[in-house]
Amino acid sequence: MRTIAFVTQKGGSGKSTLASSIAVAAREAGERVFILDMDPQQSLVKWAKARGAADVPVEAISPGKITQVMNSLAKNGVTLCVIDTAGTESAATAAAMKAADLCIIPSRPNAFDLWASEMTRRAIRELRKDYVFLLNQCPPSQQSARISEGVETLEKLGGLISPLVGARVDYQEAARLGLGVTEIGGAGHAADEIRKLWSSIKRRMAKGKPAAKPAAATRKAA
Ligand SMILES: Nc1ncnc2c1ncn2[C@@H]1O[C@H](COP(=O)(O)OP(=O)(O)OP(=O)(O)O)[C@@H](O)[C@H]1O
Ligand SMILES: [Mg+2]
């Protein structure tokens, strides 16, 4: 079983939105997926209720239970565990980071999110865990200076996963209906980028953690 955790200290950067759509896209690609909701807001527990199907199960758990629950998921044939966390530093977030093969740090292309990403990255590095950044809610191209600044900052911090995720109403509509974007707009841009994103995450996990590089060095997008 592989585990990905969506983490960042910044609220509203898109952790729950992306976790649910990635979980559905992975399910469609043949994974047996289970979501652990470690956010007291329980956004994905609510999402699962709206979904009303058991194909992508969601369970809310406390940090003390994580090892036991993950062992049982692995024994039961789950191949991908997706963890959603709260937008604050907490015991649950630390437990999720420790449990993950790959931590995914979503950030919107604005200064406050980018600063918060750097703090989250520091916490992940202290735990010696692998991570990638994900630029979410990218505005349409007329604001491309903001996007390129976001890309540059996150690449410097080490490891921006592709593709960039656009600000699209499909994400909000899918969340409301308990769906993934691939289920509401099969041929749309959001569905396309989420399928590509799942492929990138999968490749990134297969490759494993890159060898340590000197602090000043930058890495190319994953
Ligand atoms: N790519 C996107 N396009 C459009 N809207 C988005 C996108 N990603 C997220 N949103 C919207 O942004 C808001 C915050 O997203 P979400 O709740 O997923 O963030 P979060 O990081 O889980 O927040 P929290 O830290 O509070 O749990 C929601 O209204 C969601 O619909
Ligand atoms: Mg959330």
Side-chain angles (χ1 to χ4, degrees):
M1 183 176 80
R2 294 298 195 138
T3 301
I4 54 177
F6 286 82
V7 288
T8 167
Q9 304 181 359
K10 189 80 184 135
S13 56
K15 297 177 290 297
S16 305
T17 302
L18 296 163
S20 51
S21 271
I22 283 291
V24 169
R27 173 81 194 91
E28 290 171 347
E31 301 286 336
R32 285 195 58 194
V33 183
F34 201 102
I35 297 177
L36 297 180
D37 189 345
M38 297 189 75
D39 181 358
Q41 287 186 114
Q42 300 203 349
S43 305
L44 293 189
V45 169
K46 289 167 193 148
W47 173 83
K49 280 196 186 126
R51 185 171 183 83
D55 60 337
V56 182
V58 179
E59 190 177 317
I61 63 155
S62 58
K65 290 264 171 66
I66 194 163
T67 309
Q68 181 196 334
V69 170
M70 285 182 55
N71 285 342
S72 140
L73 294 180
K75 264 189 213 144
N76 283 297
V78 169
T79 59
L80 179 72
C81 175
V82 177
I83 308 180
D84 187 26
T85 64
T88 50
E89 225 177 320
S90 67
T93 307
M97 287 173 180
K98 279 186 204 151
D101 296 300
L102 183 65
C103 296
I104 301 176
I105 311 170
S107 172
R108 290 165 292 193
N110 65 55
F112 295 152
D113 270 39
L114 293 168
W115 291 332
S117 299
E118 188 168 357
M119 293 195 310
T120 303
R121 165 195 180 250
R122 207 173 301 151
I124 296 170
R125 281 172 68 117
E126 273 169 22
L127 296 170
R128 300 179 181 280
K129 300 302 295 191
D130 197 9
Y131 62 91
V132 286
F133 295 101
L134 191 169
L135 207 54
N136 184 34
Q137 296 194 52
C138 295
S141 51
Q142 67 267 24
Q143 297 182 53
S144 63
R146 206 144 65 79
I147 301 179
S148 41
E149 206 175 293
V151 168
E152 200 180 310
T153 305
L154 296 178
E155 278 182 345
K156 270 191 196 141
L157 287 174
L160 173 65
I161 201 152
S162 64
L164 307 184
V165 174
R168 305 183 196 282
V169 75
D170 273 5
Y171 287 100
Q172 299 177 4
E173 199 53 9
R176 187 176 72 80
L177 298 168
L179 299 172
V181 282
T182 48
E183 295 172 309
I184 61 163
H189 291 300
D192 188 44
E193 69 198 359
I194 280 294
R195 286 192 194 103
K196 288 186 177 139
L197 191 57
W198 166 240
S199 299
S200 296
I201 292 170
K202 203 174 159 184
R203 267 200 311 276
R204 183 67 177 70
M205 283 194 289
K207 242 197 294 179
K209 191 173 175 176
K213 293 196 175 171
T218 60
R219 264 180 244 149
K220 287 206 161 60

